[in-house]
Amino acid sequence: MKPFLLYFPQRGDERGWLVVAESNKDVPFDIKRIFYIYGTEPEAVRGQHANRNSEFVLVNVAGSCKVLTRDGKGDDTVFELNKPNMGLYIPKMVWKDMYDFSSDSILLCISSEAYDPNEYIRSYEAFAEEVNGD
Ligand code: TYD
């Protein structure tokens, strides 16, 4: 499967907006973990890893950032996340770099797995070797 953008329904009334993310409904997996990234230096690049088991939906709930996804076989795609109802689904075994964070960016990361540092691949070369079966 490839990364893809998804759009959460926006529930609006005279008070403003609300977005809901429920497991296996708005997000295509069982949600086990959320974390968020904020106060990011403009030149910083986060991520820079692939996950053997975790799937993610990333939502820039405030501000904007860019995400480069790489499948290790030459499919490199850049997504700009700049709306609070826009999510980027990232399957397991996809390399990701997050960058160009606006100063007000809050990047919400919703994951299918609890944190396990052992399922992270932090070398792009090692990741590419693994997906290409070298
Ligand atoms: P890191 O993996 O560098 O964040 P990202 O790749 O998303 O930019 O994580 C930064 C620190 O936070 C690192 O010490 C590990 C810790 N951490 C957890 O303890 N649990 C988590 O779920 C995550 C994502 C990070």
Side-chain angles (χ1 to χ4, degrees):
M1 197 183 305
K2 287 182 173 199
F4 59 82
L5 289 173
L6 52 85
Y7 291 85
F8 298 98
Q10 299 185 90
R11 292 148 204 269
D13 59 27
E14 64 284 355
R15 298 168 298 173
W17 299 98
L18 182 148
V19 163
V20 181
E22 275 193 43
S23 291
N24 299 309
K25 205 164 145 191
D26 312 287
V27 165
F29 50 73
D30 263 334
I31 298 169
K32 297 252 180 59
R33 168 173 61 134
I34 66 162
F35 55 95
Y36 43 94
I37 292 171
Y38 60 98
T40 310
E41 294 295 330
E43 301 305 319
V45 181
R46 299 210 60 131
Q48 300 193 283
H49 58 242
N51 295 77
R52 287 201 178 82
N53 301 322
S54 298
E55 298 165 69
F56 292 92
V57 170
L58 306 186
V59 185
N60 226 116
V61 294
S64 63
C65 77
K66 294 195 179 99
V67 184
L68 167 66
T69 62
R70 310 182 72 185
D71 73 352
K73 299 180 177 190
D75 189 347
D76 297 354
T77 308
V78 174
F79 298 90
E80 181 161 13
L81 300 181
N82 56 14
K83 292 184 182 67
N85 69 320
M86 171 198 268
L88 174 61
Y89 170 74
I90 305 179
K92 58 184 82 166
M93 284 306 272
V94 170
W95 186 267
K96 44 210 165 286
D97 293 332
M98 293 90 89
Y99 61 101
D100 268 2
F101 288 87
S102 62
S103 58
D104 59 346
S105 170
I106 303 174
L107 179 63
L108 175 67
C109 305
I110 303 170
S111 176
S112 64
E113 304 298 325
Y115 183 59
D116 173 7
N118 296 320
E119 62 120 3
Y120 282 65
I121 307 171
R122 295 190 177 275
S123 149
Y124 184 79
E125 286 65 36
F127 163 69
E129 279 177 20
E130 205 165 310
V131 293
N132 290 298
D134 297 345

